[in-house]
Amino acid sequence: MGSASLARLHGLFAVYKPPGLKWLHLRDTVEMQLLKGLNAGKPPAPEQRVRFLLGPVEDGEEKQLTLKATSVPTLTNHRLVCGPEFLRLKIGVGHRLDTRSSGVLVLGVGHGRRLLMDMYDAHLTKDYTVRGLLGKATDDFCEDGRLVEKTTYDHVTREKLDRILAVIQGSHQKALVMYSNLDLQSQEAYEMAVRGMIRPMSKSPMLITGIRCLNFSPPEFLLEVQCMHETQQQLRKLVHEIGLELKTTAVCMQVRRTRDGFFTLDDALLRTQWNLQSIQDAIRAAAPRVAEQLEKNLRPRFNNQQLSSSDHPGDDSKSPGSTLRLESYSGH
C-alpha cells in the first residue's frame, strides 16, 4: 500500500506560503506530513511460515507431547520490529519566497524535481501583487524597517503614478528583447513576439513584462507586477524607487505571489491541505497541464538557439540605466 501511494507522489504541486514562514520550514513540514500519511497506511498481511511446535496429544488415558506442524506469521518485516517503512522523501522547491513574502510556491516530489529544472529553463513569468505606502522611507524598504525619512505625498495622483509605471514597463520590454538574443528580422522571432513567447536566453537582471496600478487610495497603493528573474527584495526596492520618482518616499507593505508559471492561487494548497491525499490529488490534476505547458514553452527555446547572434549581451551600457531601469534591479 505504501509503495503504491509513493508512486502517485511523483510530480509537481503548489502550496500557499503564508507570510512569516521560511520556505525551508515549509518544505520540512510538507515532508513530515507526507511521511506520516505514507507510514499510516494499513500494512500488508504478514507472511506465514511453518513451524513445528509441541502440543498435547491424547492417547487413551495418557496425554503426551508431540511436534505438530503449525502456520505462524513471521515478524521480521513487522512495523514494530523494523520501524517505519518511509523515513525520507526527496522534495524540491521551485522559485523561492523569502520569509516576509506569501503566495504560490511550487514543490516537486521524486521525479518532479527534474520538472522544476524544466520550469527554470523555460524562464516563465510570475505575477505579484505589491502593496506600497507613501510618505515613509526605511533602511530595508519594508514598512517595519528602521525609519529613515518621512515626506508629504499630497501632490501624488493616480495619473502621475500611471506615467511612472508606463516608463518602467517600456524600458524593461526593450531590455527583454535585448536579453533574448533574437534576430528580430526573422519570421520565427516575429511569431514568438506575437504570442508573447520572448524569453531571455540565460540569466539576466529582473525583467518586468507588465506593471499596473490596481488600487490607489493615498497613502496606500496596490500594484500588479508580471516579471521574471526577480527577488522579493528587488520588488520592495522597486516600490522605494517609484516613490522617489514621484518626488516623495514609499515603503513596501506586502509582496504576494499570485502566479508562478502555470500554477495560480487556485492551485495552491492551504496549510490544512498539506496531507498525503490532497497532495496526490493535486499532482494528478496538474500533471497534464504541466506536460503541455513545458512542451509549449521549452520547444521555442530549443529552436531559438539557431537564431541567437551571441551568447549574452556584451555591453551592459546599452541597458536602460536610471532609477527606473534595468541596471538598478540587477540580480537573479
Side-chain angles (χ1 to χ4, degrees), residues 66-82:
T66 184
L67 292 175
K68 298 175 63 175
T70 308
S71 178
V72 296
T74 178
L75 301 179
T76 55
N77 294 325
H78 195 280
R79 184 171 296 171
L80 294 179
V81 175
C82 60

Side-chain angles (χ1 to χ4, degrees), residues 40-276:
K42 184 178 179 180
E47 298 179 0
Q48 300 289 319
R49 67 175 180 174
V50 176
R51 293 193 63 184
F52 291 93
L53 303 177
L54 285 173
V57 175
E58 293 186 3
D59 185 8
E61 296 180 356
E62 298 181 359
K63 292 184 178 180
Q64 299 179 354
L65 294 178
T66 184
L67 292 175
K68 298 175 63 175
T70 308
S71 178
V72 296
T74 178
L75 301 179
T76 55
N77 294 325
H78 195 280
R79 184 171 296 171
L80 294 179
V81 175
C82 60
E85 181 180 0
F86 300 97
L87 299 176
R88 189 166 177 262
L89 282 175
K90 295 181 179 179
I91 300 178
V93 181
H95 300 108
R96 297 170 183 174
L97 288 168
D98 62 24
T99 305
R100 288 172 168 168
S101 304
S102 62
V104 179
L105 183 67
V106 180
L107 302 178
V109 184
H111 301 325
R113 293 181 303 153
R114 289 182 296 202
L115 298 178
L116 288 175
M117 294 303 301
D118 290 338
M119 282 189 66
Y120 179 83
D121 293 336
H123 299 279
L124 301 173
T125 59
K126 298 176 282 295
D127 290 0
Y128 290 86
T129 54
V130 181
R131 190 176 301 276
L133 179 70
L134 296 169
K136 293 174 59 178
T138 60
D139 59 342
D140 60 358
F141 315 125
C142 296
E143 183 186 18
D144 55 357
R146 183 174 61 86
L147 184 64
V148 175
E149 184 180 6
K150 295 187 71 172
T151 56
T152 59
Y153 52 85
D154 296 340
H155 60 284
V156 178
T157 63
R158 174 70 178 263
E159 290 73 19
K160 291 180 180 180
L161 176 59
D162 287 339
R163 283 199 297 268
I164 297 298
L165 300 182
V167 171
I168 295 174
Q169 181 167 328
S171 62
H172 279 256
Q173 285 178 342
K174 292 179 182 178
L176 175 61
V177 174
M178 180 186 70
Y179 277 95
S180 67
N181 290 351
L182 285 175
D183 178 6
L184 298 182
Q185 304 302 318
S186 67
Q187 178 66 23
E188 188 166 0
Y190 171 77
E191 293 175 357
M192 290 177 63
V194 169
R195 298 196 305 267
M197 299 292 293
I198 294 181
R199 300 284 188 272
M201 296 295 294
S202 59
K203 291 184 179 180
S204 72
M206 180 176 75
L207 295 171
I208 297 175
T209 58
I211 183 169
R212 66 190 181 107
C213 180
L214 297 178
N215 183 45
F216 184 73
S217 303
E220 295 186 14
F221 59 94
L222 181 65
L223 304 179
E224 181 184 61
V225 184
Q226 293 91 38
C227 54
M228 60 183 73
H229 298 179
E230 81 294 337
T231 66
Q232 290 75 56
Q233 188 63 12
Q234 288 172 331
L235 293 173
R236 298 184 185 101
K237 184 179 180 183
L238 175 66
V239 171
H240 167 75
E241 294 179 340
I242 288 174
L244 296 179
E245 290 297 320
L246 291 170
K247 304 298 188 266
T248 182
T249 54
V251 293
C252 183
M253 302 172 62
Q254 180 191 52
V255 175
R256 183 172 183 244
R257 184 191 287 163
T258 58
R259 181 180 63 85
D260 185 352
F262 35 81
F263 286 96
T264 66
L265 286 174
D266 292 336
D267 305 309
L269 300 177
L270 301 178
R271 195 163 191 166
T272 55
Q273 298 172 300
W274 296 353
N275 55 69
L276 178 63

Side-chain angles (χ1 to χ4, degrees), residues 295-314:
E295 169 71 14
K296 175 183 175 182
N297 286 278
L298 287 176
R299 181 187 298 173
R301 290 193 52 77
F302 294 137
N303 296 336
N304 199 27
Q305 298 292 337
Q306 299 176 353
L307 298 176
S308 176
S309 59
S310 61
D311 292 336
H312 193 279

Side-chain angles (χ1 to χ4, degrees), residues 5-53:
S5 297
L6 181 61
R8 296 195 297 271
L9 273 178
H10 292 286
L12 297 180
F13 65 100
V15 298
Y16 186 88
K17 189 192 91 65
L21 181 66
K22 295 182 179 180
W23 67 264
L24 185 60
H25 180 64
L26 184 151
R27 186 192 67 181
D28 292 344
T29 302
V30 169
E31 180 183 7
M32 180 182 67
Q33 292 298 321
L34 289 177
L35 290 173
K36 182 179 178 181
L38 289 171
N39 290 317
K42 184 178 179 180
E47 298 179 0
Q48 300 289 319
R49 67 175 180 174
V50 176
R51 293 193 63 184
F52 291 93
L53 303 177

